[in-house]
Amino acid sequence: MIPPLVIALLAAALPLFGAGAKHIANYDIDVTLTSDHKLRGTETLTWWNDSPDTVATLQFHLYLNAFKNSRSTFFRESGGQLRSDKAEGDHWGWIDVTSMKIRQGADLTRKIVFIQPDDANLDDQTVIEVPLPEPVKPGGTIQLDIAFHAQLPKVYARTGWHGTFHLVGQWYPKLGVWETAGMRGRAQPGWNCHQFHANSEFYSNFGRYKVRLTVPAEMVVGATGELRDKQSGGGAAKTATYTFYQEDVTDFAWTAQPNFVRLERMFEAARETEPKEIAEIAKLHGISEREAGLSDVRMILLLQPEHQRQAERHFKALAAAIKWFGLWYGRYPYKTITVVDPPYGGGGAGGMEYPTFITAGTRYSLPEDVNLILEEVVVHEFGHQFWKELVATNEFEEPPLDEGFNSYSTSRIMDKVYGKTALPVSVLGFNAWSLLGLPKVGRDSLNRAVSFSDLRLDSLIRPAWLYYDSTSYGINSYPRTHVTLRTLEGLLGAKTFARAMRAYHQKWRFGHPCARDFQAVVNEVSGKDMNWFFDQFFHGARLLDYAVGEVAVTEQLTPFGFFDQGADKKLVTRKDAAAQDEKAEKDKKLKQWEGVVKIRRLEDAIVPVEIEIRFEDGHIERKYWDGSYRWVRYNFLRPARIVSVEIDPNRKLQLDLSYANNSWQERYNSGLSTHWTGQALFWAQNILLWLSAI
């Protein structure tokens, strides 16, 4: 039975589903791509001040200036590198605002100044501020006409060109987010408009985008939203203008390349989902089957010619993502999704997400039975439509709410659709793990292996540029969040956690929540105060490690000496005691064993845990320890020996640093097990890192 509070929470969120987003920042853009990879554009921005504040300035992101020179904050922090891709040569990128005017009003161009809200780097030009002659009052709007021109960099970090390929992201003057007091825990109202950092991504208001892209006529184009019109240009220039439109999104990105192979498939909801699946989702969440159902989606694939044989793999993975993200969290609300396959040499544009538009990456034509890297990238990048584009958290300040939530969801889908082997890499048709003599390692185990390094350096939730280094950013934002959510799922139970995740998504769809908002939803849906968990593992950096400290099993021999019997004393001689013990040896029912089990908490995190003690006669004792003190002792007197002790037998606590010390078995060489388990995870981790770099 679903608690009434859960039904009420979901019901309160349902109007958001059909209502869409508040259109705070709306863009009407005309841009031309030239043969030398330059952009010339005009932009009409209409901004609605839906806050109770009077706003006297505007702040904009000029992301392309991150690629302007080696003095930008992005370049200083990254060294001109993102993942395995590096900046080479002198192919820089930049953007200039050549004009900014209030519609039928003042010219603001000369009032524009560069600001650095995050650091003291006066050379960074990725944020501008402009004072207004008259502030925008609560509920008021302002409309600006902006002209800009830009140079795309050679791609190595999400945006740019390679040969004739163009991936155009973070390319136009983009308004920051005005946050009023109380929004996402903010103390004072103000602009949230961070500089472009090496590790952070993006945060924007929802709005409407109408964008006209003029490109050389031979280009094949894909973009955010629906294609509304295509016109051929006149004259000798031989251009084409594409008009795209999309509502309820936070950004716009596009691509152009002459030799893209453009393919389409329809995700037909009635064919891809079974009535039983819809009914199960509806029952779980207390909603109607109509509400649990999905919508049809046009799947567009822009593929490199040499990768055409992998088209069906892209479509299969994309359909699986649309289905399961939709069933679990709510239907995908847009009519299209475009997947871009960058060319060899343009991999810096791969593995990235924008509204209704994602990039994957297929550098090697490996079949599905050899690896699932292609599929995992497609599922993961589509997942950002839910964790970032629809639930638009601030990736600058709380990156795990996007990347980590999506990593958790991606792993669940990959396990469900493709099986629970994390790296199904085979050699000549044989499983690579078997060839190496290693046990199969699932995604949970790999995430745990990668997570448990440098954990004391940072809390999970932290501004992206303030983690100790890029490794700490990566571990916390991806695998450690996955492991933390799996632990929360184990503590709450799979059904309750599933309800909490959907309730959170529905409540904050087209909104801007923070970690505390997720925490509040979990508490409401579960009916429990889980603040202790969030304080330790989201906002703190505590480590969890339980261990079997000691197990002692002693045969109970017959005591000898004088024993009181009322007013008298009875002597039990040594001979009498030995005879009784000999009798018990022949009749096992008479024998008694004393068992002492000590469980230790090795680290500083405190989590309730289950301990399972098994006896030789098949009897099982289960103890529940709150973990508050450093150790606990359990004593047993039974006619059977203890044969095994297991901490957290159902592996609910994925955050436990070492499973190797969680168990004890009679006549069992735990040291050997620890050695080989450690070796397996070591090699699994290194293979994963190697594959992610190619």
Side-chain angles (χ1 to χ4, degrees), residues 266-280:
M266 284 299 297
F267 174 89
E268 298 177 7
R271 186 182 65 182
E272 297 287 348
T273 57
E274 298 178 7
K276 180 177 69 173
E277 294 170 329
I278 301 295
E280 288 174 352

Side-chain angles (χ1 to χ4, degrees), residues 482-491 533 652-655:
H482 166 98
V483 173
T484 304
L485 291 174
R486 289 284 286 120
T487 299
L488 183 59
E489 181 180 23
L491 292 170
F533 180 88
K652 295 179 180 179
L653 306 183
Q654 297 264 325
L655 280 168

Side-chain angles (χ1 to χ4, degrees), residues 100-223:
M100 180 182 291
K101 299 178 180 179
I102 298 175
R103 175 67 61 92
Q104 298 178 343
D107 188 335
L108 306 178
T109 311
R110 294 183 180 276
K111 296 183 178 181
I112 295 172
V113 295
F114 291 108
I115 62 172
Q116 297 79 30
D118 302 331
D119 61 21
N121 180 15
L122 297 179
D123 293 312
D124 189 76
Q125 298 181 340
T126 56
V127 178
I128 59 172
E129 184 172 49
V130 57
L132 299 174
E134 294 184 10
V136 184
K137 295 181 179 180
T141 61
I142 187 171
Q143 193 168 63
L144 301 179
D145 291 319
I146 302 169
F148 64 95
H149 63 267
Q151 171 69 61
L152 295 175
K154 190 169 184 180
V155 65
Y156 72 94
R158 305 188 181 102
T159 188
W161 60 272
H162 176 79
T164 59
F165 166 77
H166 300 80
L167 195 291
V168 190
Q170 301 93 46
W171 57 281
Y172 58 96
K174 185 178 179 183
L175 192 67
V177 178
W178 180 266
E179 295 184 332
T180 193
M183 181 177 176
R184 299 179 48 260
R186 187 178 186 123
Q188 300 294 330
W191 285 105
N192 193 300
C193 194
H194 292 292
Q195 296 161 242
F196 197 141
H197 293 275
N199 294 322
S200 64
E201 291 185 3
F202 314 111
Y203 175 53
S204 311
N205 282 131
F206 288 93
R208 291 186 300 268
Y209 284 79
K210 183 177 182 180
V211 182
R212 286 166 291 277
L213 308 171
T214 299
V215 299
E218 68 273 15
M219 291 289 185
V220 178
V221 174

Side-chain angles (χ1 to χ4, degrees), residues 543-595:
L543 302 185
L544 177 66
D545 191 11
Y546 286 125
V548 178
E550 181 183 340
V551 179
V553 181
T554 306
E555 181 181 356
Q556 284 292 94
L557 299 176
T558 303
F560 44 85
F562 280 101
F563 297 90
D564 292 333
Q565 285 191 343
D568 300 323
K569 290 183 173 60
K570 179 182 179 182
L571 173 64
V572 178
T573 67
R574 293 176 185 270
K575 183 177 179 180
D576 292 338
Q580 187 66 26
D581 291 338
E582 185 177 348
K583 184 179 179 181
E585 191 65 35
K586 294 177 181 179
D587 186 353
K588 301 296 185 183
K589 294 180 181 178
L590 299 177
K591 185 171 290 193
Q592 292 287 311
W593 299 86
E594 181 181 22

Side-chain angles (χ1 to χ4, degrees), residues 165 220 255 257-263 300-315 338-343 360-362 374 378:
F165 166 77
V220 178
T255 188
Q257 182 184 347
N259 58 336
F260 271 136
V261 176
R262 188 180 191 279
L263 302 172
I300 302 166
L301 177 60
L302 299 177
L303 203 60
Q304 298 303 314
E306 64 271 23
H307 295 155
Q308 288 189 67
R309 66 181 182 140
Q310 298 191 58
E312 294 306 320
R313 292 179 63 186
H314 284 81
F315 283 123
T338 297
V339 181
V340 179
D341 175 36
T362 316
L374 183 160
V378 170

